[in-house]
Amino acid sequence: MKKKVELRSMEIRASNEGNENLHIEGYAAVFEERTLLWESPYSGVKYYEQISREAIDGNTDMTDVILRYNHSDSALILARTSNSTLRLTTDDKGIRFDADIAPTTAGKDVYQLIKRGDISKMSFAFTVDKDSWETDNVAKTEVRTINHIDAVVDVSPVDFPAYDGTSVEARDNKGMIESLESREKESELRKKLIVETFL
């Protein structure tokens, strides 16, 4: 079964230690920080998400992660873990990255936009193999905890993250909302079946 790739965003910064050293660094994810993904206009339920500190471990595949602009398949690759131009590590805060962008025309353009602050967010794509949900009917909240990330697919400087802020937050807006709407419909159907069972 093919796993669904998800996206999140964080801040990014640039430093230039030499003419050809186009270096960027930042955090692709923050652990244990709850983020509001969506509030249902139908039920008023707020959907939150957080990434467990244990979500990244020795079983998480980060062997061939690419850095490219806006997650675009048509964008040139700017750096890659398999040749050590992109490096991913974890610490108490989250998933940290640093990269030496290829000094191509595209690489220099992206680097200058990051340096000027036109691009200030970093998004990453990943697959999840373990998660859990906590429902609070009184507070009208659903909290998803990502317990384990199976693989990190790419990291990308982005123009417009789906959610703007300084914590773990973005995936593509349409896909995320469709997923949460589907979860809400399933929940409502379960409630209806329970009520009908006891009538």
Side-chain angles (χ1 to χ4, degrees):
M1 180 174 75
K2 189 173 181 181
K3 292 181 179 171
K4 180 180 177 183
V5 174
E6 305 185 35
L7 308 175
R8 299 292 180 279
S9 69
M10 281 296 299
E11 292 181 341
I12 185 174
R13 72 171 185 259
S15 62
N16 193 345
E17 298 165 0
N19 290 335
E20 292 296 295
N21 187 4
L22 309 179
H23 187 79
I24 60 172
E25 60 185 40
Y27 280 87
V30 171
F31 299 139
E32 307 295 345
E33 189 163 321
R34 185 180 292 189
T35 301
L36 179 64
L37 293 179
W38 183 62
E39 182 174 356
S40 170
Y42 316 108
S43 65
V45 173
K46 293 181 179 179
Y47 291 86
Y48 292 91
E49 184 176 81
Q50 59 192 7
I51 297 179
S52 166
R53 190 165 272 109
E54 293 76 38
I56 299 286
D57 61 17
N59 294 317
T60 301
D61 185 3
M62 297 192 291
T63 56
D64 195 17
V65 182
I66 60 174
L67 184 143
R68 60 184 171 184
Y69 179 57
N70 265 342
H71 298 291
S72 174
D73 289 336
S74 62
L76 288 175
I77 294 172
L78 304 173
R80 194 172 204 142
T81 56
S82 62
N83 68 358
S84 299
T85 54
L86 170 64
R87 295 159 295 276
L88 300 175
T89 57
T90 57
D91 58 23
D92 286 342
K93 181 176 179 179
I95 304 170
R96 188 179 182 283
F97 75 92
D98 71 281
D100 299 312
I101 294 178
T104 60
T105 301
K108 290 176 182 177
D109 289 347
V110 170
Y111 177 82
Q112 288 301 322
L113 291 170
I114 292 168
K115 190 173 180 181
R116 280 173 29 120
D118 297 307
I119 298 173
S120 61
K121 300 296 177 184
M122 191 73 190
S123 179
F124 82 120
F126 58 98
T127 59
V128 173
D129 58 357
K130 291 181 186 173
D131 64 357
S132 58
W133 287 86
E134 180 183 330
T135 302
D136 186 332
N137 293 321
V138 175
K140 296 182 82 172
T141 60
E142 293 261 1
V143 180
R144 181 195 188 200
T145 299
I146 295 174
N147 297 311
H148 191 258
I149 292 174
D150 179 54
V152 178
V153 178
D154 77 26
V155 292
S156 299
V158 291
D159 299 335
F160 296 105
Y163 295 85
D164 188 32
T166 59
S167 62
V168 179
E169 44 195 15
R171 82 179 78 181
D172 74 88
N173 211 359
K174 183 181 176 187
M176 183 271 298
I177 291 173
E178 286 174 353
S179 176
L180 294 177
E181 283 179 337
S182 175
R183 179 175 172 77
E184 184 161 288
K185 287 175 186 173
E186 288 173 10
S187 177
E188 290 302 315
L189 181 60
R190 280 194 301 273
K191 288 177 189 174
K192 183 179 178 184
L193 290 172
I194 290 170
V195 170
E196 288 177 351
T197 301
F198 288 98
L199 289 179

PDB file of all heavy atoms in Angstrom, residues 9-38:
ATOM      1  N   SER A   9       5.589  23.066   7.507  1.00  0.00           N
ATOM      2  CA  SER A   9       6.534  24.158   7.239  1.00  0.00           C
ATOM      3  C   SER A   9       7.130  24.757   8.497  1.00  0.00           C
ATOM      4  O   SER A   9       6.556  24.697   9.573  1.00  0.00           O
ATOM      5  CB  SER A   9       5.850  25.270   6.436  1.00  0.00           C
ATOM      6  OG  SER A   9       4.886  25.915   7.225  1.00  0.00           O
ATOM      7  N   MET A  10       8.302  25.341   8.330  1.00  0.00           N
ATOM      8  CA  MET A  10       9.041  25.999   9.405  1.00  0.00           C
ATOM      9  C   MET A  10       9.833  27.169   8.834  1.00  0.00           C
ATOM     10  O   MET A  10       9.884  27.374   7.641  1.00  0.00           O
ATOM     11  CB  MET A  10      10.015  25.004  10.052  1.00  0.00           C
ATOM     12  CG  MET A  10       9.354  24.051  11.025  1.00  0.00           C
ATOM     13  SD  MET A  10       8.654  24.890  12.424  1.00  0.00           S
ATOM     14  CE  MET A  10      10.108  25.642  13.126  1.00  0.00           C
ATOM     15  N   GLU A  11      10.482  27.928   9.728  1.00  0.00           N
ATOM     16  CA  GLU A  11      11.301  29.049   9.285  1.00  0.00           C
ATOM     17  C   GLU A  11      12.633  28.568   8.722  1.00  0.00           C
ATOM     18  O   GLU A  11      13.089  27.479   9.028  1.00  0.00           O
ATOM     19  CB  GLU A  11      11.550  30.004  10.457  1.00  0.00           C
ATOM     20  CG  GLU A  11      10.288  30.709  10.899  1.00  0.00           C
ATOM     21  CD  GLU A  11      10.523  31.658  12.039  1.00  0.00           C
ATOM     22  OE1 GLU A  11      11.550  31.535  12.731  1.00  0.00           O
ATOM     23  OE2 GLU A  11       9.674  32.527  12.238  1.00  0.00           O
ATOM     24  N   ILE A  12      13.265  29.416   7.922  1.00  0.00           N
ATOM     25  CA  ILE A  12      14.529  29.084   7.286  1.00  0.00           C
ATOM     26  C   ILE A  12      15.416  30.329   7.301  1.00  0.00           C
ATOM     27  O   ILE A  12      14.913  31.446   7.309  1.00  0.00           O
ATOM     28  CB  ILE A  12      14.273  28.624   5.826  1.00  0.00           C
ATOM     29  CG1 ILE A  12      15.538  28.147   5.164  1.00  0.00           C
ATOM     30  CG2 ILE A  12      13.623  29.686   5.004  1.00  0.00           C
ATOM     31  CD1 ILE A  12      15.283  27.561   3.781  1.00  0.00           C
ATOM     32  N   ARG A  13      16.735  30.146   7.334  1.00  0.00           N
ATOM     33  CA  ARG A  13      17.641  31.290   7.231  1.00  0.00           C
ATOM     34  C   ARG A  13      18.838  30.922   6.366  1.00  0.00           C
ATOM     35  O   ARG A  13      19.164  29.757   6.197  1.00  0.00           O
ATOM     36  CB  ARG A  13      18.061  31.799   8.604  1.00  0.00           C
ATOM     37  CG  ARG A  13      19.005  30.916   9.359  1.00  0.00           C
ATOM     38  CD  ARG A  13      19.500  31.645  10.608  1.00  0.00           C
ATOM     39  NE  ARG A  13      20.496  30.853  11.273  1.00  0.00           N
ATOM     40  CZ  ARG A  13      20.274  30.115  12.348  1.00  0.00           C
ATOM     41  NH1 ARG A  13      19.077  30.061  12.865  1.00  0.00           N
ATOM     42  NH2 ARG A  13      21.235  29.426  12.901  1.00  0.00           N
ATOM     43  N   ALA A  14      19.490  31.967   5.836  1.00  0.00           N
ATOM     44  CA  ALA A  14      20.610  31.769   4.913  1.00  0.00           C
ATOM     45  C   ALA A  14      21.869  32.414   5.460  1.00  0.00           C
ATOM     46  O   ALA A  14      21.821  33.405   6.172  1.00  0.00           O
ATOM     47  CB  ALA A  14      20.269  32.374   3.549  1.00  0.00           C
ATOM     48  N   SER A  15      23.013  31.818   5.126  1.00  0.00           N
ATOM     49  CA  SER A  15      24.306  32.422   5.437  1.00  0.00           C
ATOM     50  C   SER A  15      25.244  32.136   4.284  1.00  0.00           C
ATOM     51  O   SER A  15      25.186  31.074   3.673  1.00  0.00           O
ATOM     52  CB  SER A  15      24.875  31.855   6.741  1.00  0.00           C
ATOM     53  OG  SER A  15      25.102  30.468   6.626  1.00  0.00           O
ATOM     54  N   ASN A  16      26.100  33.076   3.979  1.00  0.00           N
ATOM     55  CA  ASN A  16      27.043  32.898   2.874  1.00  0.00           C
ATOM     56  C   ASN A  16      28.454  33.076   3.414  1.00  0.00           C
ATOM     57  O   ASN A  16      28.898  34.180   3.654  1.00  0.00           O
ATOM     58  CB  ASN A  16      26.762  33.921   1.762  1.00  0.00           C
ATOM     59  CG  ASN A  16      27.497  33.565   0.478  1.00  0.00           C
ATOM     60  OD1 ASN A  16      28.400  32.742   0.487  1.00  0.00           O
ATOM     61  ND2 ASN A  16      27.115  34.197  -0.600  1.00  0.00           N
ATOM     62  N   GLU A  17      29.135  31.944   3.616  1.00  0.00           N
ATOM     63  CA  GLU A  17      30.477  31.973   4.184  1.00  0.00           C
ATOM     64  C   GLU A  17      31.542  32.083   3.111  1.00  0.00           C
ATOM     65  O   GLU A  17      32.719  32.165   3.385  1.00  0.00           O
ATOM     66  CB  GLU A  17      30.694  30.706   5.029  1.00  0.00           C
ATOM     67  CG  GLU A  17      29.725  30.620   6.199  1.00  0.00           C
ATOM     68  CD  GLU A  17      29.680  29.244   6.812  1.00  0.00           C
ATOM     69  OE1 GLU A  17      30.409  28.353   6.333  1.00  0.00           O
ATOM     70  OE2 GLU A  17      28.914  29.057   7.759  1.00  0.00           O
ATOM     71  N   GLY A  18      31.160  32.097   1.869  1.00  0.00           N
ATOM     72  CA  GLY A  18      32.109  32.196   0.751  1.00  0.00           C
ATOM     73  C   GLY A  18      31.328  32.435  -0.515  1.00  0.00           C
ATOM     74  O   GLY A  18      30.113  32.304  -0.542  1.00  0.00           O
ATOM     75  N   ASN A  19      32.019  32.768  -1.581  1.00  0.00           N
ATOM     76  CA  ASN A  19      31.337  33.113  -2.822  1.00  0.00           C
ATOM     77  C   ASN A  19      30.469  31.974  -3.355  1.00  0.00           C
ATOM     78  O   ASN A  19      29.417  32.199  -3.907  1.00  0.00           O
ATOM     79  CB  ASN A  19      32.364  33.520  -3.884  1.00  0.00           C
ATOM     80  CG  ASN A  19      33.009  34.853  -3.544  1.00  0.00           C
ATOM     81  OD1 ASN A  19      32.411  35.659  -2.839  1.00  0.00           O
ATOM     82  ND2 ASN A  19      34.215  35.077  -4.029  1.00  0.00           N
ATOM     83  N   GLU A  20      30.942  30.745  -3.209  1.00  0.00           N
ATOM     84  CA  GLU A  20      30.218  29.613  -3.761  1.00  0.00           C
ATOM     85  C   GLU A  20      29.500  28.791  -2.691  1.00  0.00           C
ATOM     86  O   GLU A  20      28.891  27.785  -2.993  1.00  0.00           O
ATOM     87  CB  GLU A  20      31.181  28.697  -4.532  1.00  0.00           C
ATOM     88  CG  GLU A  20      31.732  29.331  -5.800  1.00  0.00           C
ATOM     89  CD  GLU A  20      30.645  29.606  -6.817  1.00  0.00           C
ATOM     90  OE1 GLU A  20      30.033  28.649  -7.312  1.00  0.00           O
ATOM     91  OE2 GLU A  20      30.399  30.782  -7.119  1.00  0.00           O
ATOM     92  N   ASN A  21      29.594  29.204  -1.436  1.00  0.00           N
ATOM     93  CA  ASN A  21      28.964  28.448  -0.357  1.00  0.00           C
ATOM     94  C   ASN A  21      27.605  29.051  -0.031  1.00  0.00           C
ATOM     95  O   ASN A  21      27.500  30.005   0.732  1.00  0.00           O
ATOM     96  CB  ASN A  21      29.875  28.457   0.876  1.00  0.00           C
ATOM     97  CG  ASN A  21      29.337  27.549   1.969  1.00  0.00           C
ATOM     98  OD1 ASN A  21      28.337  26.858   1.778  1.00  0.00           O
ATOM     99  ND2 ASN A  21      29.998  27.544   3.098  1.00  0.00           N
ATOM    100  N   LEU A  22      26.579  28.526  -0.655  1.00  0.00           N
ATOM    101  CA  LEU A  22      25.213  29.002  -0.448  1.00  0.00           C
ATOM    102  C   LEU A  22      24.575  28.102   0.599  1.00  0.00           C
ATOM    103  O   LEU A  22      23.984  27.079   0.287  1.00  0.00           O
ATOM    104  CB  LEU A  22      24.442  28.964  -1.767  1.00  0.00           C
ATOM    105  CG  LEU A  22      25.122  29.639  -2.964  1.00  0.00           C
ATOM    106  CD1 LEU A  22      24.265  29.510  -4.203  1.00  0.00           C
ATOM    107  CD2 LEU A  22      25.451  31.086  -2.665  1.00  0.00           C
ATOM    108  N   HIS A  23      24.680  28.511   1.853  1.00  0.00           N
ATOM    109  CA  HIS A  23      24.293  27.660   2.974  1.00  0.00           C
ATOM    110  C   HIS A  23      22.971  28.123   3.581  1.00  0.00           C
ATOM    111  O   HIS A  23      22.785  29.313   3.840  1.00  0.00           O
ATOM    112  CB  HIS A  23      25.389  27.704   4.043  1.00  0.00           C
ATOM    113  CG  HIS A  23      25.172  26.752   5.165  1.00  0.00           C
ATOM    114  ND1 HIS A  23      25.449  25.406   5.074  1.00  0.00           N
ATOM    115  CD2 HIS A  23      24.683  26.946   6.412  1.00  0.00           C
ATOM    116  CE1 HIS A  23      25.153  24.822   6.208  1.00  0.00           C
ATOM    117  NE2 HIS A  23      24.685  25.734   7.045  1.00  0.00           N
ATOM    118  N   ILE A  24      22.064  27.185   3.787  1.00  0.00           N
ATOM    119  CA  ILE A  24      20.812  27.485   4.493  1.00  0.00           C
ATOM    120  C   ILE A  24      20.648  26.490   5.634  1.00  0.00           C
ATOM    121  O   ILE A  24      21.178  25.378   5.590  1.00  0.00           O
ATOM    122  CB  ILE A  24      19.570  27.442   3.561  1.00  0.00           C
ATOM    123  CG1 ILE A  24      19.396  26.057   2.922  1.00  0.00           C
ATOM    124  CG2 ILE A  24      19.652  28.536   2.508  1.00  0.00           C
ATOM    125  CD1 ILE A  24      18.099  25.899   2.167  1.00  0.00           C
ATOM    126  N   GLU A  25      19.918  26.913   6.665  1.00  0.00           N
ATOM    127  CA  GLU A  25      19.686  26.020   7.801  1.00  0.00           C
ATOM    128  C   GLU A  25      18.413  26.421   8.521  1.00  0.00           C
ATOM    129  O   GLU A  25      17.891  27.518   8.330  1.00  0.00           O
ATOM    130  CB  GLU A  25      20.879  26.064   8.762  1.00  0.00           C
ATOM    131  CG  GLU A  25      21.161  27.436   9.331  1.00  0.00           C
ATOM    132  CD  GLU A  25      22.415  27.458  10.178  1.00  0.00           C
ATOM    133  OE1 GLU A  25      23.408  26.805   9.807  1.00  0.00           O
ATOM    134  OE2 GLU A  25      22.385  28.132  11.215  1.00  0.00           O
ATOM    135  N   GLY A  26      17.927  25.531   9.339  1.00  0.00           N
ATOM    136  CA  GLY A  26      16.711  25.786  10.103  1.00  0.00           C
ATOM    137  C   GLY A  26      16.133  24.497  10.634  1.00  0.00           C
ATOM    138  O   GLY A  26      16.825  23.493  10.741  1.00  0.00           O
ATOM    139  N   TYR A  27      14.842  24.534  10.973  1.00  0.00           N
ATOM    140  CA  TYR A  27      14.137  23.360  11.467  1.00  0.00           C
ATOM    141  C   TYR A  27      12.998  23.009  10.526  1.00  0.00           C
ATOM    142  O   TYR A  27      12.213  23.868  10.136  1.00  0.00           O
ATOM    143  CB  TYR A  27      13.587  23.595  12.875  1.00  0.00           C
ATOM    144  CG  TYR A  27      14.640  23.440  13.938  1.00  0.00           C
ATOM    145  CD1 TYR A  27      15.452  24.505  14.304  1.00  0.00           C
ATOM    146  CD2 TYR A  27      14.851  22.210  14.554  1.00  0.00           C
ATOM    147  CE1 TYR A  27      16.442  24.352  15.262  1.00  0.00           C
ATOM    148  CE2 TYR A  27      15.842  22.055  15.517  1.00  0.00           C
ATOM    149  CZ  TYR A  27      16.627  23.129  15.860  1.00  0.00           C
ATOM    150  OH  TYR A  27      17.607  22.969  16.808  1.00  0.00           O
ATOM    151  N   ALA A  28      12.922  21.748  10.162  1.00  0.00           N
ATOM    152  CA  ALA A  28      11.834  21.265   9.313  1.00  0.00           C
ATOM    153  C   ALA A  28      10.624  20.846  10.133  1.00  0.00           C
ATOM    154  O   ALA A  28       9.525  20.752   9.601  1.00  0.00           O
ATOM    155  CB  ALA A  28      12.318  20.087   8.467  1.00  0.00           C
ATOM    156  N   ALA A  29      10.813  20.583  11.425  1.00  0.00           N
ATOM    157  CA  ALA A  29       9.707  20.168  12.299  1.00  0.00           C
ATOM    158  C   ALA A  29      10.079  20.449  13.741  1.00  0.00           C
ATOM    159  O   ALA A  29      11.254  20.470  14.091  1.00  0.00           O
ATOM    160  CB  ALA A  29       9.415  18.680  12.123  1.00  0.00           C
ATOM    161  N   VAL A  30       9.070  20.684  14.563  1.00  0.00           N
ATOM    162  CA  VAL A  30       9.272  20.879  15.995  1.00  0.00           C
ATOM    163  C   VAL A  30       8.478  19.811  16.734  1.00  0.00           C
ATOM    164  O   VAL A  30       7.314  19.564  16.426  1.00  0.00           O
ATOM    165  CB  VAL A  30       8.823  22.289  16.439  1.00  0.00           C
ATOM    166  CG1 VAL A  30       8.833  22.411  17.941  1.00  0.00           C
ATOM    167  CG2 VAL A  30       9.713  23.346  15.812  1.00  0.00           C
ATOM    168  N   PHE A  31       9.120  19.170  17.696  1.00  0.00           N
ATOM    169  CA  PHE A  31       8.459  18.113  18.463  1.00  0.00           C
ATOM    170  C   PHE A  31       7.570  18.686  19.571  1.00  0.00           C
ATOM    171  O   PHE A  31       7.847  19.762  20.115  1.00  0.00           O
ATOM    172  CB  PHE A  31       9.502  17.191  19.122  1.00  0.00           C
ATOM    173  CG  PHE A  31      10.396  16.475  18.149  1.00  0.00           C
ATOM    174  CD1 PHE A  31      11.755  16.338  18.410  1.00  0.00           C
ATOM    175  CD2 PHE A  31       9.897  15.927  16.978  1.00  0.00           C
ATOM    176  CE1 PHE A  31      12.589  15.668  17.532  1.00  0.00           C
ATOM    177  CE2 PHE A  31      10.715  15.257  16.094  1.00  0.00           C
ATOM    178  CZ  PHE A  31      12.071  15.124  16.376  1.00  0.00           C
ATOM    179  N   GLU A  32       6.537  17.912  19.899  1.00  0.00           N
ATOM    180  CA  GLU A  32       5.682  18.170  21.069  1.00  0.00           C
ATOM    181  C   GLU A  32       5.082  19.568  21.080  1.00  0.00           C
ATOM    182  O   GLU A  32       4.884  20.157  22.130  1.00  0.00           O
ATOM    183  CB  GLU A  32       6.460  17.940  22.375  1.00  0.00           C
ATOM    184  CG  GLU A  32       7.144  16.589  22.494  1.00  0.00           C
ATOM    185  CD  GLU A  32       6.186  15.397  22.555  1.00  0.00           C
ATOM    186  OE1 GLU A  32       4.981  15.610  22.782  1.00  0.00           O
ATOM    187  OE2 GLU A  32       6.652  14.257  22.376  1.00  0.00           O
ATOM    188  N   GLU A  33       4.771  20.098  19.933  1.00  0.00           N
ATOM    189  CA  GLU A  33       4.134  21.409  19.855  1.00  0.00           C
ATOM    190  C   GLU A  33       2.823  21.278  19.097  1.00  0.00           C
ATOM    191  O   GLU A  33       2.809  20.995  17.904  1.00  0.00           O
ATOM    192  CB  GLU A  33       5.059  22.419  19.169  1.00  0.00           C
ATOM    193  CG  GLU A  33       4.530  23.835  19.265  1.00  0.00           C
ATOM    194  CD  GLU A  33       5.601  24.864  18.962  1.00  0.00           C
ATOM    195  OE1 GLU A  33       6.763  24.659  19.381  1.00  0.00           O
ATOM    196  OE2 GLU A  33       5.276  25.855  18.305  1.00  0.00           O
ATOM    197  N   ARG A  34       1.732  21.492  19.811  1.00  0.00           N
ATOM    198  CA  ARG A  34       0.400  21.321  19.221  1.00  0.00           C
ATOM    199  C   ARG A  34       0.076  22.489  18.299  1.00  0.00           C
ATOM    200  O   ARG A  34       0.270  23.644  18.643  1.00  0.00           O
ATOM    201  CB  ARG A  34      -0.639  21.228  20.333  1.00  0.00           C
ATOM    202  CG  ARG A  34      -2.036  20.927  19.839  1.00  0.00           C
ATOM    203  CD  ARG A  34      -3.027  20.844  20.967  1.00  0.00           C
ATOM    204  NE  ARG A  34      -2.785  19.674  21.813  1.00  0.00           N
ATOM    205  CZ  ARG A  34      -3.618  19.277  22.762  1.00  0.00           C
ATOM    206  NH1 ARG A  34      -4.727  19.944  22.999  1.00  0.00           N
ATOM    207  NH2 ARG A  34      -3.339  18.219  23.483  1.00  0.00           N
ATOM    208  N   THR A  35      -0.421  22.154  17.117  1.00  0.00           N
ATOM    209  CA  THR A  35      -0.733  23.160  16.108  1.00  0.00           C
ATOM    210  C   THR A  35      -2.139  22.948  15.573  1.00  0.00           C
ATOM    211  O   THR A  35      -2.535  21.824  15.274  1.00  0.00           O
ATOM    212  CB  THR A  35       0.265  23.055  14.936  1.00  0.00           C
ATOM    213  OG1 THR A  35       1.580  23.243  15.447  1.00  0.00           O
ATOM    214  CG2 THR A  35       0.000  24.105  13.883  1.00  0.00           C
ATOM    215  N   LEU A  36      -2.907  24.038  15.471  1.00  0.00           N
ATOM    216  CA  LEU A  36      -4.247  23.958  14.901  1.00  0.00           C
ATOM    217  C   LEU A  36      -4.147  23.823  13.393  1.00  0.00           C
ATOM    218  O   LEU A  36      -3.566  24.665  12.718  1.00  0.00           O
ATOM    219  CB  LEU A  36      -5.050  25.214  15.253  1.00  0.00           C
ATOM    220  CG  LEU A  36      -6.481  25.280  14.690  1.00  0.00           C
ATOM    221  CD1 LEU A  36      -7.368  24.174  15.268  1.00  0.00           C
ATOM    222  CD2 LEU A  36      -7.088  26.653  14.967  1.00  0.00           C
ATOM    223  N   LEU A  37      -4.699  22.724  12.857  1.00  0.00           N
ATOM    224  CA  LEU A  37      -4.697  22.494  11.416  1.00  0.00           C
ATOM    225  C   LEU A  37      -5.949  23.019  10.743  1.00  0.00           C
ATOM    226  O   LEU A  37      -5.900  23.551   9.643  1.00  0.00           O
ATOM    227  CB  LEU A  37      -4.574  20.991  11.118  1.00  0.00           C
ATOM    228  CG  LEU A  37      -3.268  20.303  11.474  1.00  0.00           C
ATOM    229  CD1 LEU A  37      -3.365  18.830  11.133  1.00  0.00           C
ATOM    230  CD2 LEU A  37      -2.097  20.945  10.753  1.00  0.00           C
ATOM    231  N   TRP A  38      -7.105  22.848  11.423  1.00  0.00           N
ATOM    232  CA  TRP A  38      -8.379  23.170  10.776  1.00  0.00           C
ATOM    233  C   TRP A  38      -9.478  23.221  11.820  1.00  0.00           C
ATOM    234  O   TRP A  38      -9.461  22.460  12.787  1.00  0.00           O
ATOM    235  CB  TRP A  38      -8.690  22.093   9.735  1.00  0.00           C
ATOM    236  CG  TRP A  38      -9.930  22.300   8.919  1.00  0.00           C
ATOM    237  CD1 TRP A  38     -10.197  23.338   8.068  1.00  0.00           C
ATOM    238  CD2 TRP A  38     -11.065  21.429   8.835  1.00  0.00           C
ATOM    239  NE1 TRP A  38     -11.420  23.158   7.468  1.00  0.00           N
ATOM    240  CE2 TRP A  38     -11.974  21.996   7.916  1.00  0.00           C
ATOM    241  CE3 TRP A  38     -11.389  20.219   9.443  1.00  0.00           C
ATOM    242  CZ2 TRP A  38     -13.186  21.409   7.597  1.00  0.00           C
ATOM    243  CZ3 TRP A  38     -12.602  19.622   9.120  1.00  0.00           C
ATOM    244  CH2 TRP A  38     -13.488  20.204   8.210  1.00  0.00           C
TER     245      TRP A  38
END
